[in-house]
Amino acid sequence: MASWNAIFHRSGRGSRALGVAVVLALGGVAALAPSSCTLDVTGASAGGGGATSASSTTATTTDASTAVTASASASTSAGSSTGTCGTGPGCTPCTMDPDCGAATFDGCTVSTCVNSLCAPKDTTGQASMTQTPNDCMKSVCGADGKPMMAEDGTDLPADDGNLCTVKSCVAGVPTKTPVAMGTACAKGTCDAVGNCVECTKNSDCKTGASPSCDLPTHTCVSCSDGLKNGMETGVDCGATCGKCNGDPCTKAMDCSGMLCIDSICCASSCGGTCQACNVPGSLGICASVPAGTMDMGTCPAPAMECDGTNGCKTATGKACTQNSECSSNTCLAGFCRAPNGKSCVDNAECASKLCMGGMCSPCANDAACPSKSCVMNVCKAPNGSPCDANGDCVGGKCQGDLCKLDNADPCALGLDCVSGFCSGGACTACASNADCPGSGCGIVPVLGAVCKLPVNAYCEPTLPVGQSCNTGGPGKCTGFPAYCHP
């Protein structure tokens, strides 16, 4: 059907010539042939009671600019002749428009019934039946009977409910233009690039403690929303929310929880005995102060210190009579000894009897101990060192708070022996000062002849009657551990 339009309008809309209208007056009958239609004319004679043959007459129509040729030859006798439509696109007879068939699916090629023959309808410029909504374009019928696209400023983009954009058509292109920042929308406010967000500035946020706008995410954050967000370094703490628990502080106002305990922001007031918020590994949480550490509020040094179980007991190095008195739970030779992990300078300071690398340590094997004997991670005390009982000593004998061997026991040094004199590999009583180099030989009740203790030798805090440190004078047994001092 598209060719009908092309033929019908070839000389321009409204100014095309119909071509040549051939009127054949045959027996008073007139036939109008549309353009491009070829007529076959058949004459019939009634004379003599029979029909006579007639030659065919052919009439061809063309545009007004083309010569019209009509040739007709007919032999007629008295009678009548008729004309019928032969072949061609305009030769379909009709009585109404539906006789001319359905339009094409786009509606741009349509035939109507004109003078009992189907003729093309001019659809140029009318909307076609094939439209795509919301694309700023429309489909219209062209002069060639085919649809073509044209801009349509009324075919706006679909409404997506976003109040932060204005929908429009720009040169046939669907366009969404952002509205100004601060325009109200469902979530709160527009961000000037077409998004509806909670906030674009701090004043947009109204709820919670110290609310502010987190610009990277355009969300409102506060110091009471139970979330770690914005510039916070913890949940509702850090940045403008105050320091988090465990952070150093100088006053309550520094902390998000308003508690500055032991110079640390703390989760609780922490007022119990030997409890603190600055315990390493538990900063910001009220925890038990480790054994051997003082707590100035409840257990101040130097006489007392914490025992690790929220108790306050005798400090390391202080006099004691039993283990339960000491924070370390170790009372050895009249003094509380330090637990593992505490600093030290002497083996005798430690409950393990081993000071290694400046720290009281458990022994791992015999080789680690000065006595070369490790039992359940505790070194046996070597001869000459402090003890409480025979079991403390590597030699099995604790005499006068010191591990000492009896006369005749095998020995290596004079300090191994209660007599202070080792001769021929065995402990023996001294006979003269010559047996006690740098010391002196004296008589002690019960023990008999013994050498005086040299300087820096371990000794009892209170020496037995008649025994003294050999210092060139009266001598003193003092300090922790107890040494023979000048």
Side-chain angles (χ1 to χ4, degrees):
M1 297 297 287
S3 60
W4 278 73
N5 270 337
I7 296 167
F8 191 75
H9 300 287
R10 188 171 295 162
S11 298
R13 184 177 181 185
S15 62
R16 293 187 175 89
L18 180 61
V20 178
V22 178
V23 180
L24 300 177
L26 299 174
V29 178
L32 176 63
S35 57
S36 298
C37 180
T38 302
L39 293 180
D40 292 336
V41 180
T42 302
S45 174
T52 61
S53 63
S55 62
S56 40
T57 299
T58 303
T60 303
T61 63
T62 62
D63 289 340
S65 60
T66 308
V68 178
T69 304
S71 63
S73 63
S75 296
T76 61
S77 59
S80 60
S81 300
T82 59
T84 60
C85 194
T87 59
C91 293
T92 304
C94 61
T95 57
M96 57 184 67
D97 287 350
D99 296 339
C100 298
T104 54
F105 75 95
D106 51 38
C108 289
T109 303
V110 183
S111 293
T112 60
C113 190
V114 179
N115 295 327
S116 300
L117 292 175
C118 292
K121 180 182 179 181
D122 185 9
T123 60
T124 304
Q126 77 177 32
S128 77
M129 301 298 291
T130 55
Q131 301 293 332
T132 301
N134 309 121
D135 65 351
C136 293
M137 299 292 287
K138 62 182 178 179
S139 176
V140 298
C141 297
D144 59 358
K146 296 180 181 179
M148 58 183 292
M149 301 306 293
E151 294 181 16
D152 183 2
T154 64
D155 188 28
L156 297 174
D159 186 4
D160 57 5
N162 185 359
L163 299 179
C164 293
T165 59
V166 175
K167 289 73 178 175
S168 63
C169 294
V170 179
V173 177
T175 303
K176 296 181 181 180
T177 305
V179 300
M181 181 182 291
T183 302
C185 60
K187 285 185 178 180
T189 185
C190 296
D191 65 356
V193 291
N195 300 311
C196 184
V197 296
E198 270 193 278
C199 60
T200 57
K201 57 186 182 300
N202 289 339
S203 60
D204 292 334
C205 302
K206 307 296 183 184
T207 60
S210 303
S212 62
C213 183
D214 180 38
L215 294 179
T217 61
H218 292 294
T219 56
C220 288
V221 299
S222 78
C223 300
S224 59
D225 56 13
L227 299 171
K228 178 184 176 182
N229 47 27
M231 300 300 290
E232 295 173 357
T233 56
V235 177
D236 293 339
C237 64
T240 59
C241 295
K243 293 185 175 183
C244 298
N245 290 338
D247 291 340
C249 59
T250 57
K251 57 185 181 299
M253 290 293 292
D254 294 340
C255 306
S256 60
M258 300 297 290
L259 287 173
C260 182
I261 309 296
D262 301 317
S263 299
I264 295 291
C265 290
C266 195
S268 64
S269 58
C270 202
T273 300
C274 285
Q275 291 182 327
C277 258
N278 59 354
V279 177
S282 300
L283 295 178
I285 301 173
C286 191
S288 297
V289 175
T293 305
M294 68 178 182
D295 179 22
M296 291 304 296
T298 60
C299 192
M304 307 295 284
E305 61 188 14
C306 299
D307 63 0
T309 58
N310 300 338
C312 185
K313 296 186 177 182
T314 303
T316 299
K318 300 303 177 181
C320 59
T321 58
Q322 55 187 354
N323 291 338
S324 60
E325 296 177 17
C326 302
S327 65
S328 64
N329 201 40
T330 300
C331 179
L332 178 62
F335 289 96
C336 291
R337 308 291 161 158
N340 291 332
K342 294 295 291 184
S343 61
C344 58
V345 294
D346 189 279
N347 291 324
E349 294 180 27
C350 304
S352 65
K353 304 181 185 68
L354 176 63
C355 180
M356 186 167 60
M359 183 174 294
C360 291
S361 306
C363 59
N365 48 53
D366 291 343
C369 297
S371 64
K372 305 305 178 185
S373 178
C374 177
V375 178
M376 297 181 66
N377 301 120
V378 175
C379 291
K380 288 284 189 178
N383 291 320
S385 64
C387 61
D388 276 326
N390 290 338
D392 295 340
C393 302
V394 67
K397 295 181 178 180
C398 179
Q399 304 185 70
D401 291 337
L402 295 175
C403 292
K404 294 286 186 177
L405 300 176
D406 292 322
N407 290 341
D409 290 338
C411 60
L413 300 172
L415 289 178
D416 293 342
C417 306
V418 70
S419 66
F421 180 49
C422 179
S423 177
C427 292
T428 185
C430 60
S432 66
N433 290 338
D435 294 334
C436 306
S439 178
C441 183
I443 302 299
V444 174
V446 180
L447 297 179
V450 298
C451 294
K452 294 180 179 180
L453 293 173
V455 173
N456 293 331
Y458 291 118
C459 59
E460 299 178 64
T462 302
L463 290 173
V465 176
Q467 186 178 3
S468 64
C469 296
N470 184 58
T471 61
K476 296 179 181 178
C477 184
T478 58
F480 172 76
Y483 279 114
C484 212
H485 291 276

